[in-house]
Amino acid sequence: MSENPSHSPDLAPAGGEARRKPRVAVVFGGRSSEHAISVVTAGAVLRSIDRAKYDVLPIGITTDGRWALTSDEPDRMAIADRKLPSVEELSESTEGGVVLSVDPGNREVLYSEPGSVPKALGEVDVVFPVLHGPYGEDGTLQGLLELSGVPYVGSGVLASAVGQDKDYMKRVFTSFGLPVGPYVVVRPREWQQDPSAARKKIVDFAGEHGWPLFVKPARAGSSIGITKVEDLSGLDEAIAEAQRHDPKILVESLLRGREIECGVLEFEDGPRASVPAEIPPVSAHEFYDFEAKYIDSATGLVPAPLTDEQTAEVQRLAVKAFDAASCEGLVRADFFLTEDGEFVINEINTMPGFTPISMYPRMWQESGVSYPELVDRLIEAALRRPTGLR
């Protein structure tokens, strides 16, 4: 598909007027259980965007789905005294809403409040969506932006959906020859039709692969809703916890080995992999869970202490996973390096954690790409890429 001229903002108006800066809408928050981490990510991105190069419009999505005009105050978006931030606290109004046109010829953003005439906020040239989880990272927001004809940072509809659903993600990886660990999926209909049979499916899986198991929501991230189950006595509670976040659950066997992560970033000549990182065992936690990642600030080893051959192999597999899922922009690929020396891919994140302590920016920092440069590269790539079939 050739690029529609309407998809390229006129940043240099005729008549000798000054060149207009591209306008970036940073969209964050959202309806998923990862709302707070998205807010923290947005604060880091807003702090790092080059204001001399871009105009910025922060748009927060509340937990009930309202698009809110928020203050541009990154310092209020951090975790403070173990308290998580929210869009509701940052919103300039409890009722006003931001509206993005779905007319691809009109990129005007409007703000309206009950009983008031809608106010134009200007055109948006690119969206930087930093939502994590369902209703944002899973292709839903990307579909809206495709309808609107607005370029955006990160993967498209298909790759975002595949990257969110661990069931289909693993199916895609398997079809491309990437090694995945043993797992079983239990879908909502199975629970509804025969809960006993659904539970037995998991018990039989444990009988084949052994305990412990990891029970997790199939379509969530940030390690939210995941439970390590040592034996049968803890299974029902773990299932209930996973289903609080997603009616579809994924159960994985324990892979003994080291946790290795690798970042992928799309450059002008294609995707490249960062130096990998290792997540060492966290003594105060059963595994690298939400508290370890974001509250207790557990740190990884960057670069990972691997041989040159191991580093090259995990980088190759990370780029292969990026291509297998048709990703764009960025991905963090998570692996296990098993005791027999083989890499097994666990998952990818199409919008990985982007907080100051997150592994993705740390890996690229060590690879020679600073946080501000990383943000700038992602915006520039989005501005170059047309919406629509590509």
Side-chain angles (χ1 to χ4, degrees), residues 165-188:
D165 191 315
K166 296 177 178 64
D167 174 14
Y168 287 95
M169 180 197 307
K170 291 176 184 292
R171 292 171 183 264
V172 168
F173 290 159
T174 300
S175 71
F176 277 80
L178 286 156
V180 302
Y183 72 98
V184 65
V185 175
V186 186
R187 293 172 173 77

Side-chain angles (χ1 to χ4, degrees), residues 257-270:
R258 300 159 60 186
E259 292 189 47
I260 306 294
E261 299 184 348
C262 190
V264 180
L265 179 64
E266 192 169 13
F267 287 75
E268 289 82 357
D269 59 351

